[in-house]
Amino acid sequence: YTSSTNYLFMKKCVESNPVVPIQQQWLTSMLTLVPQSLMEGKDRELLVEELLDEVTKDFEMSMKRCVVRSVLVKPDVKGLEDEKEGPLPVSPLGLDFSRPWHNSFIQARSQILTNLHILHPTLKILLDIGYTTFSKLLIVDFLKGPIDCESLKNDVSLNCSKTEEKLLNTWYPRVVNLFTRKEALEGVKSDKVDSFYNCVATLMSNQLKELLRRTVEAYVKLFDPEDKRWLPLFKMELTFDDEKMEFYPNFQDLEEAILFIVTRIGQTLQNVQTVHSWLAGGATVVTLDTELADHVIAWASSTLKRAIQANLEGPKEHFERYVERYGWLVDGTADTRIKSFEAEEHNFDDYTAFIDEFLSLAKEIMSLPLLAHFPMVRLDCDDLKQGLTDKAKSFANILMERIVANHREENEKICKEFETIKERALKVPETTEEMMEMIAYVEKAKTTGIQELLVKIKECERRMNYLLDVFIFAPEDLALNATVLLWPQKINPIFDEHDDLIEQSKRKGESELLAKREKLILELEKQTRCMEEFTEFSELDRMQQYVTEMRALQKRIQEAEETVAFINKEEILFKWELTEYPVLESLKVNIEPYQKLFVLILKWQRTEKRWMDGAFLDLNGESMETEVDEFFREIYKMLKLFQQKQKKAELEKKKTLHHRAIVEEKLEEEKKENTTIVMCSSVMEQIKDFKVKKKH
């Protein structure tokens, strides 16, 4: 414990002694090795002062450690295990490093003077020319602004060509002029001329290779991951083409363009003629070996690829965000959703909600930044944004076309219903029934029909208010929309016109109905007179004429019945009291016996004529007898019928006529004048006579 304490105390005393400080000229020499560009600026000056203080302190610490190690010997005792100050290394003892070197030195010096042409004054000048020309020169003046790949390749190629041309027009002529002087080969033996020019070629090759190498290194240094201030900025775009989201140029093209610069630098100054070849002239041209070393190209390529890959991570992530959020617009998902949606039943509000989803998406996409900035890439997203926006709007337009078509169809239905109401309301009724139907139809239209249409128009207006904000209607659609909205105003004058039309039609129908009544009464009077004439028919020879007239009267009676039915129907429609026509019923009852009688007599006359004029052998006695008996019975029935009618008529007249003598006189006259009974009796006599003749 005492030994270690003494050692530490003595060490502290030694270290406290002053040491010789570092000389200022040493610090100045160090600063000369630092490029001036790194020391410019106020911050850099402070940094240089801090570094000089650190160097000074390190020097003092080193000097103190050296003194401690030379003065003190660390004892091997407990408590000093962490002390690293050991004794200074000692020189080896017992070894003889001396040798006779003078002769070999003279020999080597002579050989160097003979073969080491680099020490020749001309080559020293050549070296100075190269240093002056190339020390601050780079083949390419690297651009700092945003640039696209093709422009970069073209600019670098142009720069390389210009630099090469400049060097061949400035540096190379100076070199050639240097070796055209008389003193250029001074001191060079004739057998060493080729060796001398080989040395010249090697020196020039090394200078040019160094220029190319430095240019490549400077280019690669631009991509230093630790210092991205000088990183080139490339223009790239996110494009939307053929339903695909892509980079332009793609990563492969960008990498090829960046690596192309290394290749293009390596292709520069590859055809520089050697001085010896140029001085010798001749057809054969020998060029300098200025090709970049493979390891330099390999190093530059691998370093650049790593830097490119690292610097493209940001653009990749930006692109992936687009794909993640909007990729469903182009990968078929949106198409599938729309087809499924259209296949289902949805109302207008469902469609607008779906449309607004796409329109909101389009708005969101357009609000995204136009440019995305990354250390190595300025990413232009305008084309992709526009493409995705148009895509989202196209899907919205598909849905809008559907609801616009539905809207148009609904408008056409509304207009068609109004047109139907107008057409039916303004149609002149041809019959009373049609007029009543029209009145009922218009009345219903005024109440429920128009109210339903107004509800539809209200819904149409709601749809229109939405569509006008998001859809551009065609002129014909705008006209249709206006027509729908104006129909409620146009329909009221139509109803007023309908009321006038119905009033006119009603007056006309009533007057026509009254005329039909009067005409029917006159017709029934005519038919009654005709019926009275039937009671006077007595000539059996004119029976065919009687049947024809009777049938004509029956037809007129039937027409009168139809007229009565029409009149009653009209009366019901007009809500009039129904008129009755008992005369018509009487005619129908009274004409029936005459119809049977006339037809029976005509049939008897025809049958008799057929029997009397026909072939005798065709006659059948039994059937003839049966038919004759049947005729006789039927005529007898008719005779009794007319006799009963006559008695009934007599009784009615007795009731109406009170003077007995007049009644009896009238009855006697009717008995004498009843030609129908006489005609029946005559036919019966004819039948009897025929039966008698038949027996004989």
Side-chain angles (χ1 to χ4, degrees), residues 4 22 72 77 101 104-105 128 144 197 280 374 400 452 457 468 496 573 606 618 628:
S4 61
I22 189 171
L72 296 176
V77 295
W101 53 271
S104 61
F105 171 78
D128 290 340
K144 296 180 181 180
Y197 279 113
F374 301 95
M400 277 192 281
E452 291 174 357
I457 291 174
L468 286 172
D496 295 340
L573 293 174
R606 288 176 177 175
D618 292 337
V628 169

Side-chain angles (χ1 to χ4, degrees), residues 240-252:
F240 185 80
D241 187 26
D242 195 22
E243 301 295 313
K244 292 180 181 178
M245 295 186 285
E246 297 176 325
F247 278 97
Y248 179 80
N250 58 40
F251 291 165
Q252 182 64 32

Side-chain angles (χ1 to χ4, degrees), residues 411-422:
N411 283 350
E412 290 172 350
K413 286 181 181 178
I414 293 172
C415 290
K416 187 175 181 181
E417 291 185 34
F418 273 109
E419 289 291 347
T420 303
I421 292 173
K422 177 183 176 181

Side-chain angles (χ1 to χ4, degrees), residues 11 26 153 244 265 290 296 307 316 339 378 390 398 416 430-431 504 535 539 620 637 645 691:
K11 178 182 177 183
W26 295 356
K153 291 163 70 173
K244 292 180 181 178
I265 292 171
T290 57
V296 174
K316 280 183 184 177
K339 289 178 181 177
R378 192 194 72 176
D390 293 343
I398 291 173
K416 187 175 181 181
E430 297 179 358
T431 64
Q504 294 174 9
T535 61
E539 299 178 18
N620 187 328
K637 288 179 182 179
K645 288 184 67 176
K691 290 176 71 175

